[in-house]
Amino acid sequence: MPEAPDVLEETVTVEEDPGTPTSHVSIVTSEDGTTRRTETKVTKTVKTVTTRTVRQVPLGPDGLPLLDGGPPLGPFADGALDRHFLLRGGGPAATLSRAYLSSGAGFPEGPELRDSSSYGSLSRGLGVRPPRAGPLGPGPGDGCFTLPGHREAFSVGPEPGPPGGRSLPERFQAEPYGLEDDTRSLAADDEGGPELEPDYGTATRRRPECGRGLHTRAYEDAAVDGGELTDERPAFPAVTAPLAQPERAAWAAWTGWCGASPSVDSARAGGTLSCLRCWPMRPPTCNICALRTRVSSGVYGSCGGCHCLWRCWTTRWAEVRRRACGALRNLSYGRDTDNKAAIRDCGGVPALVRLLRAARDNEVRELVTGTLWNLSSYEPLKMVIIDHGLQTLTHEVIVPHSGWEREPNEDSKPRDAEWTTVFKNTSGCLRNVSSDGAEARRRLRECEGLVDALLHALQSAVGRKDTDNKSVENCVCIMRNLSYHVHKEVPGADRYQEAEPGPLGSAVVSQRRRRDDASCFGGKKAKGKKDGEMDRNFDTLDLPKRTEAAKGFELLYQPEVVRLYLSLLTESRNFNTLEAAAGALQNLSAGNWMWATYIRATVRKERGLPVLVELLQSETDKVVRAVAIALRNLSLDRRNKDLIGSYAMAELVRNVRNAQAPPRPGARLEEDTVVAVLNTIHEIVSDSLDNTRSLLQARGVPALVALVASSQSVREAKAASHVLQTVWSYKELRGTLQKDGWTKARFQSAAATAKGPKGAPSPGGFDDSTLPLVDKSLEDEKTGSRDVIPMDALGPDGYSTVDRRERRPRGIGSAGEASEKEPLKLDPSRKAPPPGPSRPAVRLVDAVGDAKPQPVDSWV
Amino acid sequence: MSYIPGQPVTAVVQRVEIHKLRQGENLILGFSIGGGIDQDPSQNPFSEDKTDKVNGWDMTMVTHDQARKRLTKRSEEVVRLLVTRQSLQKAVQQSMLS
């Protein structure tokens, strides 16, 4: 056996599987504190017979092995177990010195990523892994914890600092010991024996999260599942399959090492976690399971569980990594934000991002992005995620999976987007963080390639007619959020501000179609209209010439996006997507700048108005609301206003009527929606006699009056009265109205009670993840604040607990957590979905409660 | 009968089965409902009929919206109601007495 510390040659006895030749780097720290980093080529030979020097490590009363400072390299001399425990600290002597133990080296320290090297070396020794019955997952099917070279992905980083004398005990336990240990390790509270499921069975503490395991992989690796990691000893798996001696020894050593805390719950947690910490070598199902259970009890943070997990991440053992990721994801799931805060405090976000960069295992990537999705529903973490993860998420996931190419090859066909789970999770995460305010929006807009990639992905979705999936929903929501306040926030917006519409720029943009100003509804010609309004000059949409293609955030407001959004509105059946697309149009049409003017006109020219009007018939409240507000903003364009007044009035009035007396089952609208519709009506009847006539023709007045009288909501009543007041202001119509039996009192009475300028604007509370869509029109800018819901005022991202509304990580749509991960989902998503409050309806105007709400009756 | 909030109530119920009509693409029942625990009972616009169950769904603790939804489920063509009304109660009591 090698004597020299820096000659690492080991022979691993593999019980079943042939070893995989690997090379790895090990860092050996001699006892005197010097560190050597050695690269070793390992040649493994398969031996079927193992002769080992077995040393029974006597355990002290406290469970710690009594170290006798065994011969240096003694164990190494042992063919099988050498290098097993390469201690950072010691040369071959790698003895688990009690001093080390007592010094408490290391554990409660910061993220132990730097220990990866030592883990690496450990794992080398544990080259053998009991064969796994189940698939190992995307990793190399080595079935063992070998150190595949490629696992180096995130292996040792820069040499860790002075090793805290972290030594790994080089104790091997004889097989008999192992067996005995099994019994012993099953502490009283261990319910189960070895778990054959990957669902970490800490039997006692089996919790739902625990149950799932990272993957529903059929790990029948008997060796792995094992008892629970108890305090004193990690559950030694009841290895039925031959567990490599080295592993067992390692296990035992670790056990001893970690040893010892009295079995108290908190101590157990601490002990468990510390065991976990030093346990990078094998995929400790039990460990992670135990960890998870602890997590739920909130011990996680305080025990520095994150450290453990991160250490696990850096391990070479794919399974450990995956499980650690899964555990972390479970942790991050749920409405309880303590765990998320704990993850943040441990520096989890940067670690996750690093892991994402480094990991090639798709499952790990899914888990990591899922965790980030969950975390992103937690308000304080949003900016943190942006800070650390935006670039990575964009470049590692969004851009590649979207099919967008930065430097498109002219000849090649544009690639399609790949709707992977990783993409879904990442888009979900970005959706959440994009709702975090102006700064967040700015960062996302300016992130290179993000907007381009998202648009490309959406266009690819439309092209393939695959617009109902969750990833598309997420992307559209991001686009909507980023479109919010573009007119104020993008660099150079000032240039485009218009106090009043002026003539457009001179040049003709080649791509623009020069259309006649044909109304999308049918042949109304704009020329006939003497409107002196903004868009008079925009009949033929002359856009300023672009010398180069727009890119980045500029794409947000190019008129080309109109077609995209309209396609989504036409094709998608996903209500969230519809809402978001309408919201994007709403956001883009707001604002007093040139691009908004273009957008409004483009919507009309692209025959978008009928699409929107038709969506007013939707049964889904939020869609109706978003569309109504979009129409309202679009009607800032005079021509739009006329068209909308003519063709949309019937639908709008119908919605009002539904609000007052639902004629159809299930047609009762929410207050916010009704207020949005009323505001839209108000917008289009203001300053337009024709539209007001349309309102009368659509029998809107009775509906409005009835609503004022019967509505339980003060806001609705106010908004309706406001409309009535405006109607009354047209003297020409008073005759007609009085002839129909309406008295002035009807119109004025409500108005008298209506305070506030614009009725009760409906801010349109939106889900967390989406920005408030409402962006009042220009005129309302001053009072617009009422309508604009500050994003921060929105409740937690409902998104977080996405899917499943629990599923987050899995994407909201995906089956969520249930499958493997815990059904946490931050939001609806699975697993730790972000808290998913569904919608915090922000009421800007407090409903001053009526003492007795009017009785409501419904027609069924 | 008088209800004491929080106390269990016994009531005489009548089973009513209604087949929904088809009006256009909707299934309607053809009557209006009012009330719900979120409504003010003193302003109940309708008669004293109270619905206890609809197709097995409990209606004693529902809001107006929930009640409406349960009655108007698209998937159910028939609603079986358990209604109770005071006059019914009185009639039964009288018949039991006599």
Side-chain angles (χ1 to χ4, degrees), chain A residues 619 662-668 712 851-860, chain B residues 26-27 29-35 39-40 42-43 45-46 64 68 72 74:
Chain A
E619 293 189 347
R664 290 183 317 166
R668 182 82 175 106
Q712 284 180 280
K852 283 198 179 188
Q854 297 290 326
V856 174
D857 57 85
S858 307
W859 174 259
V860 297
Chain B
N26 303 315
L27 289 174
L29 283 163
F31 53 81
S32 289
I33 60 170
Q39 308 290 325
D40 186 346
S42 64
Q43 297 194 16
F46 298 122
H64 185 86
R68 181 182 50 76
T72 58
R74 244 172 230 272

